[in-house]
Amino acid sequence: MIKDTIVDGFHNAPHRSLYHALGLTDEEQARPLIGVVCSYNEIVPGHTNLDKIAQAVKLGVAMAGGTPIMFPAITVCDGIAMGHTGMKYSLVTRDLIADSTEAMVKAHGFDGLVMIPNCDKNVPGLLMAAARLNIPTVFVSGGPMLAGRVNGKKRSLSSMFEAVGAYTAGKINEEQLIEFERKVCPTCGSCSGMYTANSMNCLTEVLGMGLRGNGTIPAVYSARIELAKHAGMQVMELVKKNIRPRDIMTAAAIKNAITADMALGCSTNSMLHLPAIANECGVPFDLDEVNAISEKTPNLCHLAPAGPTYMEDLNEAGGVHAVLKELEALNLLDTSVMTCTGKTMKENLVGVENLDEEVIRKPENAFGKTGGIAVLKGNLAPDGCVVKRAAVAPEMLVHEGPAKVFESEEECISAIYAGKIVKGDVVVIRNEGPAGGPGMREMLSPTSAIAGMGLDKDVALITDGRFSGATRGASIGHVSPEAVSGGVIAYVKNGDIISIDIPNYSIKLNVSDEELAKRKAEMPIKKKEVSGYLKRYAAQVSSADKGAIINK
């Protein structure tokens, strides 16, 4: 225990004096010291309730005989950062969160940790820190937002972005747009569809790092407070049994997470975050294995934006564990893995039931025989690119059309709103990758504008950046290598024909090797001038197919 090196003995009297300055009694100093890593702030809707979650965690820790000490972690709201330079600072925070948490824990010494994340990069950042630090840890998220209601239908943030496109196209008026604005985000919490935040909170549960309900209990439910108290109590059990994150997040657990990802229809951003988490766990991650897992994993859920159901519906249907129960019946999981309950996944699934077969389909009635995400390869993306197959209209699974090339998200948005994108086009947005952006911006604005204008069944988008989990349509991101690294995407020209075949995992630029060689000699690589943290990040970050990790 940490008290052996920081608290006990005459030589540690200076440390004890500083603990007394905090108001910690001798009795509190004698107990296991539990770090409560709280991402509370007043700018991110998914985090405004985390102060209450933290207080509940602290009560749980104290009830179980520990001493809770809270310290903060940062986060960015992707929705607020969307569509402007702020989005360059979203993905990059994942490493800032992991690094700063490591620094706080190593500097002050804790016997265990309870991580309280909620939004997009905050969850994987803290999972990376947990793996790196490898002391007993439990996660409890802030929970998802309830769905809004407009005209009697459930709505979410993606509906809001699409409403902007519909307004631009003259399909709705200003009064209707304002109604969306007022109603789509009715409570605190992570946005209510299967976007990146909820994807990662669900996968935290699958990885074994969060208790049952972590991914789905709505933020405003009292059950979320109870869950937080149980998380505080449970970390004390892990300290007693010395069960650590790398005992839990094994190669088998990572594979389980990919499998559940396919069944749930998670955000494509999971294909950035799972490799990064695996890297911290010392577990190899092969992007090619994703398609192999997808081929045998049915897509059981169609949550927004892929379908009309929301996180609250998944919660009422039995949550993530009910999905795991269906996958267990198909022998698609390794249920022998250890979890933060101190029990195996198999033990945790005893008695679990699927309570709504429309929200969580039975395998024989699945939305698709294959998983929600596909990795495509070809001369345009020799190292791979990613698409949320579950959110692609059937008629767009195979598509061929002329490229319309843009050097930035802003340039593309202007063209969309000016009516320059037409049926059949393949929109290419480059120089938005991890190093080239830098920061690999998430682009919900162009995809939702196209969907709102009714073109999502006629137009494909391709980028070396990334798309939001709230995106639907043939939106293909993470093209690797990226443009700034000399990837083929840097040499696409307007009018080039691009062929997309999602069922066969193929993406091709229909230009000869000789012509590409000529273009590489004639077209210089474009690099953006940046400063500060972004400059350091751009110099160190890996390609998207490796998880956009900071190279060591």
Side-chain angles (χ1 to χ4, degrees), residues 21 103 111 148 207 215 306 456 493 520 546:
D111 296 297
L207 286 167
D456 57 299
K493 289 186 176 182
K520 288 179 181 180
K546 301 294 190 298

Side-chain angles (χ1 to χ4, degrees), residues 80-348:
I80 294 174
M82 194 73 65
H84 58 91
T85 192
M87 183 48 74
K88 293 178 184 288
Y89 288 89
S90 173
L91 180 60
V92 303
T93 64
R94 189 183 69 181
D95 295 279
L96 288 173
I97 291 162
D99 292 348
S100 59
T101 302
E102 175 192 0
M104 285 295 289
V105 173
K106 290 289 189 181
H108 300 102
F110 292 94
D111 296 297
L113 298 168
V114 179
M115 305 288 202
I116 309 176
N118 210 27
C119 287
D120 296 29
K121 313 308 168 296
N122 185 243
V123 184
L126 289 178
L127 283 166
M128 290 162 66
R132 193 183 300 177
L133 292 161
N134 203 35
I135 62 175
T137 303
V138 175
F139 275 65
V140 56
S141 77
M145 185 184 292
L146 293 178
R149 288 183 182 272
V150 180
N151 297 325
K153 293 183 179 180
K154 288 184 178 181
R155 303 289 189 176
S156 63
L157 184 64
S158 57
S159 309
M160 181 69 253
F161 276 88
E162 290 181 16
V164 174
Y167 175 76
T168 303
K171 294 186 175 184
I172 62 173
N173 60 32
E174 185 177 0
E175 185 178 345
Q176 291 170 308
L177 180 68
I178 291 172
E179 184 179 12
F180 271 88
E181 178 185 330
R182 300 286 187 191
K183 293 181 177 179
V184 296
C185 297
T187 73
C188 64
S190 50
C191 296
S192 56
M194 187 55 84
Y195 311 149
T196 305
N198 292 326
S199 294
M200 293 310 301
N201 283 323
C202 288
L203 295 183
T204 297
E205 205 173 317
V206 180
L207 286 167
M209 293 298 293
L211 300 175
R212 182 179 177 183
N214 178 73
T216 59
I217 297 173
V220 294
Y221 282 15
S222 298
R224 175 64 58 178
I225 300 296
E226 294 183 37
L227 183 72
K229 290 176 183 175
H230 283 125
M233 290 185 269
Q234 188 57 33
V235 75
M236 295 301 296
E237 287 298 310
L238 298 186
V239 169
K240 290 174 188 174
K241 296 177 180 177
N242 196 29
I243 297 174
R244 299 168 180 252
R246 275 182 253 160
D247 299 327
I248 296 171
M249 291 191 287
T250 60
I254 298 289
K255 188 173 181 179
N256 285 344
I258 299 171
T259 303
D261 187 317
M262 296 299 160
L264 285 163
C266 291
S267 163
T268 52
N269 281 312
S270 63
M271 292 299 105
L272 283 177
H273 301 323
L274 286 176
I277 294 162
N279 177 67
E280 295 290 352
C281 294
V283 173
F285 190 101
D286 184 357
L287 202 60
D288 289 334
E289 190 177 13
V290 172
N291 287 341
I293 292 173
S294 179
E295 282 294 328
K296 56 186 179 182
T297 307
N299 177 217
L300 304 180
C301 300
H302 256 195
L303 286 90
T309 54
Y310 293 80
M311 295 306 296
E312 61 201 63
D313 302 311
L314 179 58
N315 187 63
E316 294 302 317
V320 173
H321 274 57
V323 176
L324 296 180
K325 190 72 174 180
E326 297 291 356
L327 296 175
E328 180 190 35
L330 297 173
N331 295 313
L332 293 177
L333 300 172
D334 182 341
T335 58
S336 69
V337 293
M338 178 54 61
T339 72
C340 68
T341 64
K343 300 177 181 178
T344 64
M345 179 184 285
K346 187 173 186 65
E347 292 173 299
N348 292 340

Side-chain angles (χ1 to χ4, degrees), residues 3 53 59 72 83 86 103 111 146 152 162 167 242 280 386 388 399 443 486 511-513 521:
K3 72 184 186 69
I53 301 294
L59 279 171
D111 296 297
L146 293 178
E162 290 181 16
Y167 175 76
N242 196 29
E280 295 290 352
V386 181
K388 189 170 183 176
H399 180 76
M443 291 177 277
V511 171
S512 69
D513 291 342

Side-chain angles (χ1 to χ4, degrees), residues 268 271 287 373-376 384-388 467 475-479:
T268 52
M271 292 299 105
L287 202 60
I373 288 177
V375 175
L376 314 183
C385 55
V386 181
V387 62
K388 189 170 183 176
F467 291 119
S475 303
I476 300 165
H478 308 193
V479 169

